Amino acid sequence: MNEQVRVAVYAHFARTGTAPTVQDLAATTGFAAEDVRGALDALHTSRDLVSRDGRIVMAHPFASIPLGFSVMGASTLWWGGCAWDSFAIPHLLHEEPDVLVATRCPACDTPHAWVVGRTAPSAGDQVAHFLTPVDRIWDDVVHTCANQRLFCSTTCVEAVHKEPGYVMDLATLWRLARGWYASRLEPGYKRRDPVSAAAYFAEVGLRGPFWGLTA
């Protein structure tokens, strides 16, 4: 039952750009509302989504609250959960060849927008800054995602964060996002374990203990 509810959550987000309610999920799955609430609690515990008081806050890479990014497809608007998630959405939605990701620099409020597709990284000199190390992401995952932002430059990063976390260019961000959520919309999806996650991070060009890597 939990997996059916999970797939229904993702299908609703992908189709509408919004989080389904308990009533939506009950109608889609045929389960009683009480059972749906129990499944959402279980999926929160297993880190398959973020649910508070029966309300879905995030189902990565989708969010039901604004966290600094809008992602526009051909006819659907999503909130991106963070820089990582916003760049991941077109890789997950095969019917969308590309999307328009828009945000503002947290330091100087300069607006930025990129067409993000599946074939090559987006052009630009901007940088992504991640504040929270990977082993602390789920201590407060909403705070973590709210602090994975895109800045004009490292100068803007340092204007906001006196002790920056991890800074990467747009090409690295695109590679990180490209395969991280592969098959998440499909039944039977399994989250990466720490070993496979570390291997993925190294493969896309991330380095150091911030990502749980020795090199």
Side-chain angles (χ1 to χ4, degrees), residues 26-49:
T28 300
T29 62
F31 300 134
E34 182 178 350
D35 292 333
V36 169
R37 290 189 185 91
L40 292 176
D41 289 342
L43 291 166
H44 176 88
T45 299
S46 63
R47 299 180 177 178
D48 286 293
L49 52 77

Side-chain angles (χ1 to χ4, degrees), residues 2-166:
N2 292 352
E3 178 64 0
Q4 288 173 268
V5 171
R6 188 195 69 80
V7 171
V9 168
Y10 274 88
H12 192 281
F13 260 120
R15 186 177 69 256
T16 70
T18 62
T21 65
V22 169
Q23 291 70 30
D24 291 331
L25 294 169
T28 300
T29 62
F31 300 134
E34 182 178 350
D35 292 333
V36 169
R37 290 189 185 91
L40 292 176
D41 289 342
L43 291 166
H44 176 88
T45 299
S46 63
R47 299 180 177 178
D48 286 293
L49 52 77
V50 181
S51 177
R52 292 178 177 171
D53 301 320
R55 177 176 178 241
I56 299 165
V57 178
M58 303 182 74
H60 296 89
F62 307 114
S64 67
I65 56 174
L67 289 168
F69 294 87
S70 63
V71 182
M72 187 70 219
S75 59
T76 307
L77 176 66
W78 297 271
W79 293 123
C82 57
W84 184 351
D85 287 351
S86 298
F87 272 52
I89 285 177
H91 299 288
L92 198 61
L93 303 176
H94 300 301
E95 68 278 10
E96 298 280 356
D98 54 43
V99 297
L100 181 68
V101 174
T103 190
R104 292 177 182 268
C105 176
C108 65
D109 209 35
T110 297
H112 297 291
W114 305 266
V115 174
V116 181
R118 293 190 287 274
T119 58
S122 303
D125 296 328
Q126 299 89 348
V127 297
H129 174 257
F130 287 43
L131 181 64
T132 305
V134 67
D135 63 347
R136 303 293 301 276
I137 282 177
W138 284 90
D139 290 359
D140 183 341
V141 69
V142 175
H143 176 269
T144 295
C145 291
N147 285 280
Q148 293 180 359
R149 300 294 303 274
L150 282 156
F151 291 76
C152 299
S153 63
T154 55
T155 300
C156 279
V157 172
E158 291 164 0
V160 174
H161 299 288
K162 300 308 178 186
E163 297 183 7
Y166 193 96

Side-chain angles (χ1 to χ4, degrees), residues 132-135 165-167 197-199 201-215:
T132 305
V134 67
D135 63 347
Y166 193 96
V167 177
F201 296 149
E203 179 185 346
V204 302
L206 301 176
R207 298 289 182 268
F210 190 95
W211 297 97
L213 302 170
T214 56

